[in-house]
Amino acid sequence: KKKGWNSVKPVVVSVTSIQRNEQGQELKMELVSEGKYYRKKDTQYIIYAESEITGLEGVTTIIKVLDNGNVVLVRTGKMQQRQEYWPGRETHSWYDTPLGRLPVTLKTYVCRSDLSEGTGHIELGYDVTIDGFASNYNQLSIDVQEDHT
């Protein structure tokens, strides 16, 4: 057991994503995946595999919920991505595509979490602008439950 790591718990992660473009059209996606939860120092981690439903097969998503309330999303595998959610602030990151790395700007309006001991809810609401174009408003609702199967 690594120092500072609490035990890993199996969890079920349910993600609902709603994207709204500048014309007001909505795209809604839902994903349910088995994952893992653990806590290390002042951060809670949720790790799960994406699927073909999201178009991100072969990608692992890591959601970090910091004790200060901020959330960080990291994707590894076939696609590399890092996004930081700080309420009321704009953050800058990147998004790797087959055509190269694109700059991403996030403006977070909603960033709430009541995650505790592997159970809870994370709510994110943010504008995302990729490479200075195509601004979308995104809502991400993430439910985490302990997997007792």
Side-chain angles (χ1 to χ4, degrees), residues 14-139:
S14 307
V15 181
T16 303
S17 156
I18 300 173
Q19 286 186 347
R20 193 175 305 117
N21 66 17
E22 289 165 325
Q23 290 75 42
Q25 294 166 307
E26 284 192 357
L27 174 66
K28 184 175 182 176
M29 274 194 292
E30 294 184 33
L31 164 79
V32 177
S33 187
E34 292 174 353
K36 294 183 176 78
Y37 166 91
Y38 64 90
R39 181 177 186 95
K40 185 179 176 190
K41 295 187 179 157
D42 60 354
T43 305
Q44 298 178 82
Y45 293 81
I46 302 157
I47 301 166
Y48 64 92
E50 296 282 351
S51 74
E52 64 269 16
I53 297 168
T54 57
L56 298 174
E57 201 173 7
V59 173
T60 298
T61 296
I62 302 162
I63 298 170
K64 302 179 188 182
V65 179
L66 285 63
D67 283 352
N68 67 7
N70 295 334
V71 173
V72 178
L73 184 144
V74 178
R75 289 194 168 114
T76 62
K78 282 186 180 173
M79 184 189 102
Q80 305 289 316
Q81 184 183 21
R82 180 186 172 88
Q83 295 180 176
E84 295 187 21
Y85 303 92
W86 297 65
R89 283 190 37 200
E90 213 171 67
T91 56
H92 300 276
S93 61
W94 42 264
Y95 179 73
D96 273 345
T97 72
L99 303 173
R101 181 170 277 195
L102 298 175
V104 174
T105 303
L106 289 184
K107 182 158 173 86
T108 304
Y109 301 100
V110 178
C111 181
R112 284 191 292 268
S113 169
D114 64 5
L115 190 65
S116 176
E117 299 299 317
T119 301
H121 190 76
I122 302 164
E123 197 74 43
L124 299 169
Y126 56 95
D127 281 332
V128 61
T129 307
I130 298 175
D131 201 19
F133 304 102
S135 187
N136 283 326
Y137 181 72
N138 289 262
Q139 285 171 271

